[in-house]
Amino acid sequence: MSHLSIPISFEFFPPKTQAGQDKLLGVRDQLAKAQPDFFSVTYGAGGSTQDGTLQTVLALRESGIDAAPHMSCIGASREELRSLLNTYKANNIKRLVALRGDLPSGMGMGGELRFANELVSFIREEFGQDFIIEVAAYPEAHPQAPSFEADLENFVRKCQAGADSAITQYFFNADAYFYFMDRVRALGVDIPVIPGIMPITNYTKLARFSDACGAEIPRYIRKQLEAYGDDSESIQQFGEEVISRLCQQLLDGGAPGIHFYTLNQAAPSLNILNNLR
């Protein structure tokens, strides 16, 4: 448990180079001091870095902090998924983030399971309660969802299939989270839904990411970041202030924890945590 009285967790992506690998271990050690509940590790579209994911999970776990691989079902057969889950179990991995996964460009749906709720059901049928299963939530709706209502129903299905808790896509509007929570609670969902938080460190990257994943950047944030141009110090300072305020609002409103999308950096998340203490 972190120094805050709520659970926190940090997400990493598998580094592609040896230098990235070495740097990550330093970042891991800095973030481990915040005593997170767990680290999580993403993978590429279509599971293209699944081996890298496992290696990174094992490396992160050497810090004494639990680590959870992201696992997607797109493009994988039941046999491949079973084999991967057996590998995780053999390595004493207790927690998974179960996702549909992104479609690699130019690839059809592929795979035997098409949706995250099917993956959650599959894990429960094959492995019972061996894993703590996290799923994704989209307070502003999944970018490919036909409608907000359809996305809510989809989220409910994942929960009913056996998810233990959920982590949201990042967002900058606390009301979007609270509205989503009111809606899913009314639909009978009672698992914890942890807000995913993206520190702001670079405007161009953030804008590109946000367009791709359907996260709304409020106009005042966009305008202020545009005004700073290349002044990265001002961008980071403003970003830290905005995100610290967002986290405080979420915690005051009853959010059960915070999950940081670290982009393999320590300082932005730690600065926000320090502001919250």
Side-chain angles (χ1 to χ4, degrees):
M1 188 68 82
S2 68
H3 303 304
L4 285 170
S5 57
I6 50 119
I8 56 171
S9 49
F10 297 110
E11 181 171 299
F12 299 95
F13 58 85
K16 291 193 171 71
T17 62
Q18 190 53 52
Q21 209 67 39
D22 299 342
K23 177 179 169 260
L24 184 65
L25 298 183
V27 171
R28 170 199 74 184
D29 293 343
Q30 284 174 278
L31 291 174
K33 290 183 188 137
Q35 296 175 302
D37 273 27
F38 66 95
F39 294 133
S40 73
V41 183
T42 65
Y43 57 86
S48 55
T49 61
Q50 205 79 67
D51 295 343
T53 301
L54 177 60
Q55 296 320 312
T56 305
V57 163
L58 297 178
L60 290 172
R61 216 172 50 179
E62 286 166 6
S63 63
I65 306 285
D66 195 14
H70 281 210
M71 181 171 186
S72 83
C73 59
I74 282 289
S77 68
R78 281 185 167 78
E79 199 37 63
E80 287 165 330
L81 293 169
R82 191 177 293 119
S83 154
L84 185 60
L85 287 160
N86 277 317
T87 302
Y88 288 156
K89 192 177 167 180
N91 282 286
N92 206 25
I93 288 166
K94 295 276 192 276
R95 188 187 289 264
L96 301 169
V97 182
L99 306 161
R100 185 197 76 173
D102 299 326
L103 297 169
S105 51
M107 189 174 134
M109 283 300 261
E112 293 178 49
L113 308 181
R114 292 176 313 143
F115 300 107
N117 64 295
E118 296 174 3
L119 177 58
V120 175
S121 297
F122 175 78
I123 297 169
R124 287 289 178 236
E125 282 157 20
E126 299 269 330
F127 292 88
Q129 297 299 315
D130 289 350
F131 296 104
I132 295 168
I133 302 178
E134 308 271 352
V135 291
Y138 296 87
E140 297 175 312
H142 190 284
Q144 289 161 347
S147 70
F148 187 65
E149 303 302 320
D151 203 46
L152 287 174
E153 286 164 23
N154 188 33
F155 179 67
V156 172
R157 273 197 293 276
K158 290 193 277 198
C159 298
Q160 289 169 341
D164 293 295
S165 61
I167 298 167
T168 75
Q169 173 61 272
Y170 71 87
F171 55 89
F172 299 107
N173 179 350
D175 283 343
Y177 172 81
F178 293 128
Y179 178 71
F180 178 82
M181 291 311 300
D182 288 347
R183 293 295 309 271
V184 300
R185 291 286 180 253
L187 292 168
V189 169
D190 57 1
I191 65 170
V193 180
I194 313 282
I197 295 296
M198 175 74 83
I200 298 175
T201 55
N202 173 311
Y203 176 55
T204 323
K205 264 191 197 147
L206 183 72
R208 197 174 62 232
F209 262 3
S210 303
D211 289 344
C213 67
E216 175 86 17
I217 303 178
R219 188 174 165 81
Y220 82 96
I221 295 180
R222 215 178 252 278
K223 286 292 173 197
Q224 186 62 75
L225 291 171
E226 282 168 7
Y228 287 133
D230 294 334
D231 179 355
S232 60
E233 199 174 313
S234 296
I235 288 173
Q236 284 171 18
Q237 217 172 349
F238 171 72
E240 185 185 313
E241 195 181 303
V242 164
I243 300 300
S244 298
R245 195 184 312 141
L246 172 63
C247 291
Q248 196 60 62
Q249 267 181 299
L250 291 165
L251 295 175
D252 291 348
I258 297 178
H259 179 77
F260 288 96
Y261 295 105
T262 68
L263 300 181
N264 293 10
Q265 299 172 28
S269 302
L270 291 176
N271 292 344
I272 292 163
L273 278 174
N274 288 333
N275 293 341
L276 296 175
R277 298 209 168 108

